[in-house]
Amino acid sequence: MTATPSSSVRNPTDWKGAAMQKRIAGRYAAERRFKLLGMAAVLLSAGFLAFLLISMIGNGARGFTRTEITLPIDFRTAPMVVDPATVTAQSLVSANLQDVTAQAAVTALGPNGDTLLSPNAWLTVRDAILDNPQIVTERVVISVPASTSIDLAAKTDASAADEASYARLQQSGMVSTGFNSAFLSASDATDPTQVGIWGAFKGSLLTMIVTLLLSFPVGVATALYLEEYAPKTWWTDIIEVSINNLAAVPSIIFGLLGLAIFLNLLAFPRSAALVGGMTLALMTMPVIVIAGRNAIKAVPPSIRDAALGIGASPVQVVFHHVLPLALPGILTGTIIGMARALGETAPLLMIGMRAFIATPPGGITDPATVLPVQIFLWSDEVSKGFVEKTSAAIIVLLAFLLAMNGLAIYLRNKFEKRW
């Protein structure tokens, strides 16, 4: 029996040696550096997010307020003839309310008093008459929106002349700044003191409903077929590659596709929520298919084997066992895809959803716009009053996105099952 050379004998590790202690200390130091880098990355991301939220809330909070002037109007001496018994919106069209409002402003505020009011202040007077037709025979005080310059002077820095005008109004007690409920109930307008977000919000809601109704069932059915039924052939490989590529295609390409097919070929109504939803469904469907396939693939094979072992048919295995277990992941991917679609602007611009919409859409075929496009249009306006309205609209859009993500978390927790 030959002895093993001493050079090939493996000696026990000397854990107390100086070299080993140095290597261990180096590993601990590297781990601490990695943790510090991770914490720095988190803090940096949180700082950027906090800066975004603070700047948006700081600028947008003023967009939810409006400066109003309490204007006394004596309809008994006004140059208008209106019968209180037959007051309608149509009859007030020829009632010359613009001149009545301007004359009341000159009487109450001085020679240039009409310039202190919003150009559409007469619409507030019209709404007051529609609410109570009897005021056309009385002297009343109506709060009407101030001009953009006075509104800015009440909230931010403005020119010396506007600051002086606002100071005079403040001394007379005829001006006040409060919450602007019309911003949440009105639609687009040319005057920043009259604009609202409801028209764009309703358009976004209708567009998202169409997108969900089209993309969700088709996307889930496609994911189920590819994972549970489709044979592994060159044809299915091409389909899988195509779906993965479609998920990475720039969104404006889908806008061009919607323009070519839905508008030019099929002649669907331009700038409608129906066309916008169909276009966004094309963009969202690959995301839902990929998320659905990953969720279905994550279901353990033992679930399928156990269901087949107790006599379930292949269809029952899929719809009674696999799909319920994969539903949390499918819903999460769907909501994330919908949130991405909600923030898209380029494809909707291509199909004409950048039109001036002064009336909220009544259905999916009516002309409409969406929140991202409305923000884009307001940011391109010349008037300074639209700056705060743009920030306020961004806050509404962020709240909408947070609500959708909260819904995703709720649905995931509700339908999640552990095995």
Side-chain angles (χ1 to χ4, degrees), residues 16-353:
K16 295 184 179 180
M20 180 59 68
Q21 291 297 322
K22 185 177 180 180
R23 286 197 295 270
I24 293 175
R27 293 174 184 174
Y28 287 156
E31 183 178 0
R32 287 193 297 270
R33 287 194 299 270
F34 181 76
K35 289 182 178 179
L36 290 175
L37 288 175
M39 291 178 60
V42 171
L43 291 176
L44 184 62
S45 302
F48 281 121
L49 179 60
F51 175 77
L52 172 66
L53 293 177
I54 291 173
S55 60
M56 285 297 102
I57 294 175
N59 294 326
R62 296 191 296 268
F64 292 98
T65 62
R66 184 172 71 177
T67 303
E68 295 182 343
I69 297 175
T70 54
L71 182 67
I73 303 178
D74 193 348
F75 288 104
R76 296 170 300 182
T77 61
M80 58 179 289
V81 179
V82 178
D83 185 2
T86 60
V87 167
T88 62
Q90 188 64 30
S91 65
L92 292 177
V93 172
S94 59
N96 205 19
L97 289 179
Q98 293 99 321
D99 292 341
V100 171
T101 305
Q103 183 60 42
V106 171
T107 303
L109 305 175
N112 296 323
D114 56 331
T115 62
L116 302 179
L117 303 184
S118 166
N120 294 322
W122 67 274
L123 295 175
T124 305
V125 178
R126 182 200 63 182
D127 295 338
I129 296 175
L130 292 175
D131 291 338
N132 183 14
Q134 292 300 324
I135 67 174
V136 298
T137 61
E138 304 171 356
R139 182 184 185 275
V140 296
V141 177
I142 302 175
S143 295
V144 298
S147 64
T148 302
S149 58
I150 297 298
D151 188 53
L152 292 176
K155 302 173 184 178
T156 58
D157 295 332
S159 64
D162 295 334
E163 291 283 356
S165 299
Y166 174 71
R168 287 195 300 270
L169 290 171
Q170 200 172 26
Q171 290 175 359
S172 63
M174 299 180 64
V175 65
S176 62
T177 301
F179 180 72
N180 182 17
S181 60
F183 182 75
L184 301 177
S185 60
S187 297
D188 199 7
T190 56
D191 184 4
T193 62
Q194 298 284 340
V195 298
I197 205 67
W198 171 241
F201 184 86
K202 188 175 182 181
S204 293
L205 194 60
L206 293 174
T207 303
M208 289 298 102
I209 290 174
V210 174
T211 302
L212 181 63
L213 293 179
L214 292 176
S215 62
F216 182 74
V218 176
V220 173
T222 303
L224 284 174
Y225 175 76
L226 291 176
E227 284 298 321
E228 300 294 329
Y229 297 104
K232 299 301 180 182
T233 63
W234 63 271
W235 175 245
T236 56
D237 291 339
I238 293 177
I239 294 176
E240 292 177 4
V241 172
S242 300
I243 291 174
N244 292 331
N245 289 334
L246 283 175
V249 169
S251 60
I252 195 170
I253 304 300
F254 292 99
L256 292 172
L257 182 63
L259 174 63
I261 296 178
F262 303 136
L263 295 183
N264 296 338
L265 182 62
L266 302 179
F268 284 168
R270 184 177 294 272
S271 188
L274 174 63
V275 180
M278 295 172 69
T279 303
L280 294 179
L282 294 176
M283 186 187 70
T284 308
M285 208 176 300
V287 179
I288 297 177
V289 173
I290 293 173
R293 292 190 63 189
N294 292 333
I296 294 169
K297 194 180 299 183
V299 177
S302 58
I303 300 293
R304 299 173 176 83
D305 297 338
L308 292 172
I310 60 176
S313 66
V315 174
Q316 289 175 325
V317 171
V318 171
F319 288 96
H320 294 180
H321 301 278
V322 176
L323 185 58
L325 292 175
L327 194 58
I330 295 174
L331 291 175
T332 301
T334 301
I335 297 297
I336 292 174
M338 295 290 293
R340 177 200 170 192
L342 177 62
E344 287 293 342
T345 304
L348 301 181
L349 292 176
M350 296 302 300
I351 61 171
M353 293 192 75

